[in-house]
Amino acid sequence: MRLKLNNVVSPASNLVIAVYGFVGLLLIFHPGWRDFLSLVVLDYLALLVALVIEGRVFVRMYPSASYYFPSFIVEDIAGYPREKLRTILADLYLFPRRRAVHVWVSSVPKVIPAALMMLFVWPHTSYLFQTAKIILFEVIFITAFSVLSYFEIHGQLSRAIRVLYEKTDHRDVFMEVTASESGGSLVRGEALAHALIVLFGVGLLCVQLLDVGPGKELDLPFIAGLVGIMVLGFFLQARIYFLGRNLLFSGLSDFVETMRGVDLNKEQPLLALHTSSELNAMERAFNLMSIRLRESQAELTEWIQYESDQSRF
């Protein structure tokens, strides 16, 4: 199994981001088609350059990530010695949070060329208001993309770790990864994303209302544009909410399926720990309970055997 960790955002999430970016630009900045297409080309070129650079920067910041980034090949890592696997596994559980933060920071230089074009080439009534709108628009864009990446990484990486758990001979290593080494909270990440999008979205609406110059009255098209901005914000939040719920419920579903497979007369099936802190803690508790139950059964069997041997004499 091979997982490309430098490009895990699903087509559906990319579509949501693209709709927000393209439609948002038209509703907020009202560019001409030539200006709009020039910006799209410029932004695409900046994206190509960023894709080449940011991955190398990430590996330089986290050297141990070179074992699994940009390509996570499960079969290769499954064959590593125990201590090396322990180090890589601890890194993998931290990867979603690290990668999301890195995506956010590395996206800032990427949007600078487009922001400069919007400020100095596109027509506007005020440099102050135009700068404020650009900053708020781009912050919402970068934040939404980073959060979607965060959730997508959690889902895909947890599935890959489950396969790694099945293939490795060192399953006990999974229990050695502490809860503090998990990849972050889904609930807190989602709540922070919603709060930031609402905060900056309201700020963007306020700036848009203040930037009503001559010949730009509050007519029906302008009001429709404001409503469109709010709809786009809800669109982003709906996608984030869906991914968060999907991750939590899929993790709970795996947990329930494992519970159904419990047989007191057989070895208990342990769970490969999820990268999110909520599911990680629940699965860890189940694993510990299974281990203790197994030990209790072994002790009880040993005691019964001992008593049986003693009764013969």
Side-chain angles (χ1 to χ4, degrees):
M1 178 181 180
R2 178 190 292 266
L3 179 61
K4 296 289 289 182
L5 289 176
N6 62 336
N7 184 23
V8 298
V9 180
S10 65
S13 294
N14 276 322
L15 177 62
V16 170
I17 290 293
V19 169
Y20 169 79
F22 293 144
V23 178
L25 284 172
L26 295 174
L27 290 175
I28 298 168
F29 300 98
H30 309 289
W33 285 108
R34 182 175 297 179
D35 289 335
F36 179 75
L37 293 176
S38 298
L39 182 76
V40 170
V41 172
L42 178 63
D43 193 59
Y44 180 72
L45 294 175
L47 174 63
L48 294 179
V49 174
L51 289 176
V52 173
I53 297 175
E54 69 87 17
R56 297 176 181 176
V57 173
F58 183 81
V59 173
R60 186 175 291 270
M61 292 176 61
Y62 306 104
S64 55
S66 59
Y67 290 111
Y68 58 84
F69 183 87
S71 294
F72 176 24
I73 304 175
V74 173
E75 289 74 13
D76 290 350
I77 295 179
Y80 285 162
R82 189 179 186 283
E83 289 305 315
K84 190 174 183 180
L85 178 62
R86 168 68 176 81
T87 301
I88 294 173
L89 193 61
D91 248 42
L92 285 171
Y93 280 110
L94 290 171
F95 180 78
R97 183 168 49 197
R98 286 176 173 175
R99 184 62 181 164
V101 172
H102 181 77
V103 166
W104 200 103
V105 174
S106 62
S107 295
V108 174
K110 178 256 177 188
V111 302
I112 288 177
L116 293 176
M117 173 179 282
M118 294 160 67
L119 184 61
F120 295 110
V121 178
W122 285 12
H124 54 80
T125 58
S126 166
Y127 279 103
L128 176 62
F129 287 132
Q130 186 77 345
T131 301
K133 287 192 289 185
I134 291 171
I135 292 174
L136 291 168
F137 176 81
E138 295 292 2
V139 167
I140 294 173
F141 181 90
I142 294 172
T143 299
F145 183 74
S146 301
V147 173
L148 291 175
S149 299
Y150 177 71
F151 284 131
E152 300 271 13
I153 290 171
H154 267 300
Q156 295 192 37
L157 187 58
S158 292
R159 286 190 288 271
I161 287 176
R162 198 175 304 132
V163 176
L164 175 63
Y165 179 82
E166 296 296 328
K167 292 183 177 295
T168 185
D169 295 327
H170 307 292
R171 294 187 178 182
D172 58 309
V173 171
F174 285 74
M175 287 300 293
E176 295 179 7
V177 180
T178 63
S180 62
E181 292 175 318
S182 62
S185 168
L186 295 178
V187 175
R188 287 197 298 269
E190 181 182 334
L192 179 61
H194 288 314
L196 289 176
I197 290 175
V198 169
L199 177 64
F200 292 113
V202 170
L204 183 58
L205 285 172
C206 292
V207 174
Q208 189 77 347
L209 285 169
L210 292 172
D211 187 26
V212 181
K216 192 177 180 182
E217 299 177 355
L218 292 176
D219 53 10
L220 183 60
F222 186 78
I223 295 174
L226 295 177
V227 174
I229 294 171
M230 290 187 286
V231 170
L232 289 175
F234 287 125
F235 193 45
L236 288 176
Q237 295 195 76
R239 179 60 184 173
I240 292 171
Y241 180 83
F242 169 79
L243 284 179
R245 297 288 81 73
N246 185 56
L247 277 174
L248 286 173
F249 287 130
S250 63
L252 290 172
S253 176
D254 292 339
F255 179 76
V256 170
E257 287 300 317
T258 303
M259 290 290 289
R260 288 176 178 172
V262 169
D263 186 345
L264 296 179
N265 297 318
K266 297 180 180 179
E267 182 175 308
Q268 302 307 313
L270 295 182
L271 290 164
L273 301 180
H274 201 278
T275 54
S276 71
S277 59
E278 293 90 355
L279 294 172
N280 184 290
M282 182 181 66
E283 292 170 347
R284 180 180 298 278
F286 174 80
N287 287 350
L288 288 173
M289 181 184 69
S290 298
I291 292 171
R292 288 170 183 170
L293 180 60
R294 196 177 305 156
E295 293 173 347
S296 298
Q297 285 180 312
E299 291 174 359
L300 180 61
T301 301
E302 184 179 347
W303 179 79
I304 292 173
Q305 183 64 43
Y306 173 79
E307 291 295 327
S308 176
D309 293 340
Q310 290 296 316
S311 64
R312 297 177 183 176
F313 301 100

